[in-house]
């Protein structure tokens, strides 16, 4: 599925000059999402990584992922990193974001639950090939109002998720700074900022439409 290296596309048709290195993610960054899965609301960011091989273009049909079991969708705001960050302050970190996009953090929920019950790592439920469909990125000319971004997911015309960054437990500048304390972020890396409430099983033969308030529309379909 991911035999070819992922090419990071820009919404204007261009190609980002740096290859995707890794995808750094945060779990439970929206309190209502934590509650809907009966998980405790965290007091610090829960960080994990998806490899570059998990990324596929959003426009590609979602089909092979279903061979691994029931797949759940999680829609997230994605940040494209344009400058190296290591132990950065929130002020410096927010200026390193080169673009905004949308992502689907596909999750094998049953597999994840079983692994968590056993106290095992759950990368196989989150980091498999094709687990991260990514849209093209809208290039940023200036630092946006991080608390004023909004995104949605519709499946077959029905609104399933709405995310507003003002509802995040950990705001984007502080989240990036915290990530950079543990993992050096390189140009080309992508950061997923958490999913809002409304996650659920991904249906087969469905049309997914994603929208971001920063001038982005994307779509994909399942088979």
């Amino acid at each position: 599925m991911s035999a070819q290296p992922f090419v990071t596309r820009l919404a204007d048709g261009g190609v980002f000059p740096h290859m995707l290195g890794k995808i750094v993610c945060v779990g439970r960054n929206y309190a209502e999402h934590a509650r809907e899965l009966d998980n405790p609301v965290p007091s610090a960011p829960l960080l994990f990584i998806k490899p570059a091989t998990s990324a596929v273009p959003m426009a590609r049909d979602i089909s092979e992922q279903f061979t691994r079991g029931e797949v759940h969708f999680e829609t997230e705001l994605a940040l494209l990193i344009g400058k190296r960050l290591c132990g950065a302050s929130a002020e410096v970190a927010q200026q390193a974001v080169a673009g905004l996009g949308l992502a689907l953090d596909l999750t094998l929920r049953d597999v994840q639950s079983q692994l968590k019950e056993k106290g095992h790592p759950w990368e196989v439920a989150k980091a498999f090939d094709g687990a991260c469909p990514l849209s093209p990125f809208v290039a940023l000319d200036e630092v946006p109002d991080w608390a004023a971004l909004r995104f949605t997911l519709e499946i077959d015309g029905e609104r399933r998720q709405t995310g507003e960054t003002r509802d995040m437990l950990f705001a984007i500048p502080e989240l990036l700074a915290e990530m950079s304390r543990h993992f050096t972020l390189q140009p080309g890396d992508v950061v997923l900022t958490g999913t809002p409430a409304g996650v659920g099983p991904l249906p087969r033969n469905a049309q997914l439409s994603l929208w971001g308030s920063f001038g982005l529309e994307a779509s994909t379909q399942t088979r």
Side-chain angles (χ1 to χ4, degrees), residues 11-146:
D12 63 5
V15 173
F16 195 64
H18 301 280
M19 294 297 294
L20 173 61
K22 59 184 175 295
I23 303 165
V24 184
C25 312
V26 59
R28 307 180 205 166
N29 200 21
Y30 291 82
E32 289 305 314
H33 169 60
R35 295 188 185 105
E36 73 178 343
L37 296 182
D38 293 324
N39 287 320
V41 175
S43 58
L46 302 177
L47 305 180
F48 63 97
I49 288 178
K50 289 176 178 273
T53 49
S54 69
V56 291
M58 182 70 74
R60 182 183 298 180
D61 289 356
I62 298 173
S63 59
E64 294 180 42
Q65 293 91 328
F66 287 104
T67 63
R68 301 174 180 270
E70 185 176 74
V71 179
H72 280 217
F73 61 85
E74 299 186 7
T75 313
E76 308 202 14
L77 175 68
L79 312 177
L80 179 60
I81 302 301
K83 298 178 182 179
R84 182 178 182 273
L85 292 175
C86 181
S89 67
E91 177 62 28
V92 169
Q94 69 175 341
Q95 298 178 43
V97 180
L100 300 177
L102 293 170
L104 292 172
D105 174 13
L106 300 183
T107 304
L108 305 176
R109 189 72 70 203
D110 290 342
V111 174
Q112 183 189 37
S113 296
Q114 293 166 8
L115 291 170
K116 287 169 67 176
E117 288 175 1
K118 297 176 181 178
H120 293 171
W122 33 266
E123 277 82 357
V124 293
K126 284 275 195 182
F128 55 90
D129 288 358
C132 190
L134 282 173
S135 77
F137 288 83
V138 175
L140 290 180
D141 296 322
E142 58 185 18
V143 175
D145 181 350
W146 294 116

Side-chain angles (χ1 to χ4, degrees), residues 159-197:
R159 180 73 56 86
R160 301 297 295 273
Q161 286 190 278
T162 297
E164 298 191 35
T165 50
R166 66 184 180 184
D167 295 328
M168 288 180 172
L169 294 173
F170 309 104
I172 287 173
E174 289 73 21
L175 179 62
L176 289 171
E178 177 67 12
M179 288 178 170
S180 79
R181 290 183 55 241
H182 304 285
F183 319 111
T184 297
L185 299 177
Q186 302 282 12
D189 286 350
V190 168
V191 167
L192 302 191
T193 57
T195 193

